[in-house]
Amino acid sequence: MRHLKFVIPFLIFAGLVAFFAIGLTRDPREVPSPLIGKAAPAFDIAQLHDAKSSFKPEDMKGRVWMLNVWASWCVSCRVEHPLLVELAKRNLVPVVGLNYKDKREDATRWLERFGNPYALSAWDIDGRVGIDYGVYGAPETFVIDKAGVIRHKQIGPITPEALEKTILPLLRSLQ
């Protein structure tokens, strides 16, 4: 019984050290998404540039595509945007924008100023689509395959490294 008085605190301490040691080896930007490998959530919302037209993910069935969540108020989106413009020029994959909790006029003005890399942008004014996709905040990007299954989620801005090492090889494998 006297040994338990020392063994139990030691075991608790050793468990905490192991827990923190494992936590320090992980990349804090990698947040597992429960949507990976599952069908992209359905929605049907107005397009940013044409409120009379709508967009739904089913419109992209049979195509590999990317859904990029962005907003004019998002500082990180501005960092990522030139890379998306360059990607659009390469015409590798259609990139659909999901304008997130933004004013229509602010969003359209932002695209006029910085360039429009999107095949189209859907307008998620109230953020409901973002909630269905588990969006933590803009920017986030989803790679969706021909069957409409989410294959990758990029949290935060797409970096040149993430594009070259993760996203482009994935897009090539899905084509």
Side-chain angles (χ1 to χ4, degrees), residues 27-47:
D27 185 350
R29 290 174 288 177
E30 287 187 24
V31 179
S33 172
L35 295 176
I36 303 298
K38 295 185 179 170
F43 62 86
D44 188 357
I45 58 174
Q47 293 184 19

Side-chain angles (χ1 to χ4, degrees), residues 64-155:
V64 177
W65 60 292
M66 293 172 45
L67 179 68
N68 176 254
V69 181
W70 69 280
S72 66
W73 47 260
C74 166
V75 175
S76 296
C77 296
R78 189 164 175 186
V79 171
E80 172 187 71
H81 199 74
L83 199 59
L84 291 174
V85 171
E86 288 304 313
L87 181 64
K89 288 178 183 172
R90 294 164 73 176
N91 204 22
L92 298 172
V93 64
V95 180
V96 173
L98 181 66
N99 182 248
Y100 184 67
K101 296 183 177 180
D102 209 349
K103 293 179 182 172
R104 186 184 298 268
E105 55 276 0
D106 291 345
T108 55
R109 192 175 325 122
W110 197 83
L111 289 175
E112 289 169 10
R113 182 173 179 196
F114 298 113
N116 186 353
Y118 304 112
L120 64 95
S121 276
W123 191 39
D124 187 17
I125 181 67
D126 57 7
R128 289 179 185 254
V129 174
I131 290 171
D132 291 344
Y133 276 75
V135 171
Y136 297 100
E140 290 187 12
T141 303
F142 299 85
V143 175
I144 301 171
D145 71 12
K146 293 176 181 177
V149 175
I150 295 175
R151 296 297 180 187
H152 177 72
K153 179 180 181 181
Q154 172 76 32
I155 297 174

Side-chain angles (χ1 to χ4, degrees), residues 1-9:
M1 274 311 234
R2 285 182 23 198
H3 296 339
L4 286 179
K5 191 163 114 182
F6 298 106
V7 171
I8 290 175

